[in-house]
Amino acid sequence: MEALTLFMIKEGITIKIAKEQLLQQFGQWTAFVTDLEKYDERFWNQSLGAGKWSVRQVVAHILRWDDYFYEESIAKLSEASPLTVKHLDYDEFNELAKTYGKATSIAVLTAQAVQSRMRILDKIASLTDEQYAATYTDADGHPFEVEQYMKDFIWHDQHHIQPIQRLLHTRIEEMSLNGWPALRTIVYDGWLLRFSNGYTKRSNSINPIYGHTLELDAKIRACEELYDQKGIRTTFKITPLSQPATLDEELASRGYALIDQTVVKTVHLSEVRAPTYDDVWLESEPSESWLDAVAIFSGLTAEQKTTTRQMLEHSPLKSCFALLHVNGIPVAGGFAVIEEEWIGLYDIVTDQEHRNKGYGEQLILHLLQWGKSNSARNGYLLVVKNNAPANRLYDKLGYIPQYEYWYRVRESIT
């Protein structure tokens, strides 16, 4: 008898743990859609692909399914009422959801999506172990189990969340290409080949983000020939968007070295505090004083400084070049660009003798404050993964990781 009791207790604990884990996963949608609300309407109206739904239509789609399953099944479980959930005409149901999404504001969609999911979570959490583990019968005579329902819709959530994240990452990747421009760019079968006198991998690399149709071996060799002609080592920037998906593996097999693993991070400016240090100069163009200071902080050669000027002075994006001074002497510098409602930070650097004193943090806060005053709502930046001090600073400021990328570099120029 004691053994049976002990078994039942362990079984009950196992059910509770599994239930809590599923509830936690099922609740991730609420955090995701709450975060989505902080992005601009352009993003919400953007299609996930040719012929695909927009972000706002996806949110409305999940919201409507949550409402349907709550009303026709979940709400009835603790009342011992017959379930009325049944097979629907999915196309008709989804079209109505899409129409609702188009006509409803982002704020209302977000609030309703969170409320709808939360009432399901609360109701399932309140079920007894017996109610939770029971097998019910839906209106079509099919079995309905709460655990399987959550598992199915956790998968359904991810089915839609992942394309939305990819859409966001594509947008950030495009903005980062615009924010740090190359002197020359060649578009080659969906790949962007960038050239800037060999200064920085970012502006002298192949960005394979838009497609791929040619035979891969011949395409790689053609790229290598172009970079060889310029005296630049062939370098590929590998992101989650790279096409084909096997490119990184192919480059590794050819002896391309993996270097500079980098994290792309974002922040909502509404969550960023104001700066407290005032001795900062903000300029709309890369002046000689700004270039001189950044060149000294970064150890740039005269040629690299000239290339930096050439890359930045003709950018069509609204820009801010910042220098922070201590006793009239510049000790930290960097610049920011705004594209629509996003601000990107670049070349943030502090003089070596003045590091770990908060100057870099104050410089960034001034740039983000400038972004806010110019209608930016969100920010992004790129930071090398093993740069622990920089990552600590950006984490402190509220930046969160979005995705990672790295470079594959050919061993030598032939």
Side-chain angles (χ1 to χ4, degrees):
M1 190 71 174
E2 291 181 1
L4 178 61
T5 302
L6 183 60
F7 172 78
M8 292 176 66
I9 292 173
K10 288 183 177 179
E11 188 73 10
I13 293 173
T14 300
I15 291 173
K16 281 184 170 61
I17 292 174
K19 177 182 176 182
E20 288 301 317
Q21 289 174 340
L22 283 176
L23 284 169
Q24 183 179 25
Q25 293 175 47
F26 195 44
Q28 289 174 1
W29 168 248
T30 61
F32 181 77
V33 76
T34 299
D35 187 69
L36 275 185
E37 185 184 13
K38 298 171 184 176
Y39 295 112
D40 55 66
E41 193 158 357
R42 171 197 183 278
F43 183 71
W44 277 72
N45 291 336
Q46 193 168 350
S47 168
L48 299 182
K52 303 285 188 179
W53 297 347
S54 67
V55 173
R56 69 191 309 141
Q57 289 171 332
V58 169
V59 173
H61 163 76
I62 294 179
L63 157 65
R64 285 307 199 197
W65 279 114
D66 277 357
D67 286 344
Y68 176 73
F69 270 89
Y70 178 81
E71 293 159 4
E72 307 300 332
S73 61
I74 305 301
K76 300 175 183 293
L77 299 180
S78 60
E79 303 167 1
S81 300
L83 305 192
T84 53
V85 62
K86 61 182 180 179
H87 179 82
L88 298 176
D89 183 328
Y90 296 146
D91 291 338
E92 180 182 357
F93 187 95
N94 290 335
E95 282 302 317
L96 291 172
K98 286 167 60 180
T99 300
Y100 181 75
K102 283 184 178 180
T104 308
S105 71
I106 293 170
V108 171
L109 275 177
T110 303
Q112 290 180 345
V114 171
Q115 181 183 31
S116 294
R117 181 57 62 90
M118 287 303 302
R119 65 177 181 170
I120 294 175
L121 292 165
D122 290 343
K123 178 63 73 172
I124 292 176
S126 70
L127 296 176
T128 66
D129 290 348
E130 292 76 15
Q131 291 170 334
Y132 177 77
T135 298
Y136 303 86
T137 303
D138 68 19
D140 290 326
H142 298 139
F144 179 91
E145 297 175 344
V146 179
E147 182 178 282
Q148 190 59 49
Y149 157 75
M150 283 202 289
K151 288 179 178 178
D152 289 344
F153 275 84
I154 288 167
W155 176 91
H156 182 254
D157 289 346
Q158 290 301 316
H159 173 70
H160 290 295
I161 286 173
Q162 290 173 10
I164 293 175
Q165 290 175 326
R166 185 177 179 88
L167 187 69
L168 176 62
H169 297 169
T170 300
R171 186 177 182 193
I172 295 170
E173 195 63 22
E174 289 180 342
M175 290 189 295
S176 70
L177 289 169
N178 296 335
W180 185 264
L183 296 180
R184 286 167 291 279
T185 300
I186 294 174
V187 181
Y188 180 40
D189 186 42
W191 292 2
L192 304 183
L193 282 59
R194 289 157 55 92
F195 302 88
S196 297
N197 301 330
Y199 174 53
T200 78
K201 289 178 290 298
R202 195 183 309 164
S203 54
N204 292 274
S205 56
I206 299 160
N207 293 258
I209 63 175
Y210 288 122
H212 169 72
T213 62
L214 297 174
E215 195 275 323
L216 186 58
D217 177 70
K219 187 174 179 180
I220 292 174
R221 291 183 184 280
C223 292
E224 291 173 343
E225 289 177 8
L226 281 171
Y227 281 87
D228 284 351
Q229 290 170 12
K230 297 293 183 182
I232 301 171
R233 281 204 301 170
T234 307
T235 302
F236 285 81
K237 182 181 178 185
I238 303 297
T239 73
L241 310 171
S242 294
Q243 298 183 42
T246 57
L247 179 60
D248 187 55
E249 182 180 346
E250 174 63 26
L251 294 172
S253 72
R254 292 167 178 255
Y256 276 69
L258 188 157
I259 62 171
D260 291 357
Q261 287 185 273
T262 302
V263 184
V264 178
K265 298 187 176 187
T266 61
V267 69
H268 299 300
L269 299 192
S270 60
E271 301 169 3
V272 175
R273 64 188 182 279
T276 57
Y277 186 87
D278 293 333
D279 194 359
V280 176
W281 295 0
L282 305 179
E283 303 173 307
S284 60
E285 300 290 339
S287 65
E288 283 302 317
S289 58
W290 182 86
L291 284 163
D292 288 341
V294 170
I296 292 171
F297 300 157
S298 301
L300 303 185
T301 65
E303 182 180 0
Q304 290 170 336
K305 176 183 167 185
T306 298
T307 299
T308 301
R309 178 192 295 107
Q310 291 171 341
M311 288 192 298
L312 300 180
E313 64 186 357
H314 298 303
S315 172
L317 299 177
K318 193 179 188 86
S319 304
C320 180
F321 298 85
L323 283 178
L324 183 142
H325 295 78
V326 174
N327 298 323
I329 299 172
V331 298
F335 76 96
V337 297
I338 288 180
E339 185 169 345
E340 294 180 332
E341 296 185 358
W342 284 82
I343 178 172
L345 300 185
Y346 295 91
D347 253 17
I348 305 299
V349 60
T350 301
D351 178 52
Q352 191 166 358
E353 295 182 4
H354 293 85
R355 291 175 183 172
N356 301 315
K357 298 179 180 179
Y359 296 137
E361 178 181 355
Q362 288 298 311
L363 178 87
I364 292 170
L365 290 175
H366 272 284
L367 285 169
L368 296 182
Q369 188 71 28
W370 170 83
K372 283 185 184 181
S373 67
N374 284 277
S375 302
R377 297 174 59 185
N378 300 288
Y380 69 90
L381 54 78
L382 327 169
V383 57
V384 175
K385 191 173 183 178
N386 64 6
N387 187 342
N391 278 288
R392 282 196 299 270
L393 170 58
Y394 298 138
D395 293 347
K396 177 183 176 183
L397 292 170
Y399 281 85
I400 61 170
Q402 288 290 343
Y403 62 98
E404 296 183 12
Y405 70 85
W406 55 89
Y407 293 97
R408 285 285 183 181
V409 182
R410 194 180 182 199
E411 200 167 303
S412 61
I413 301 169
T414 59

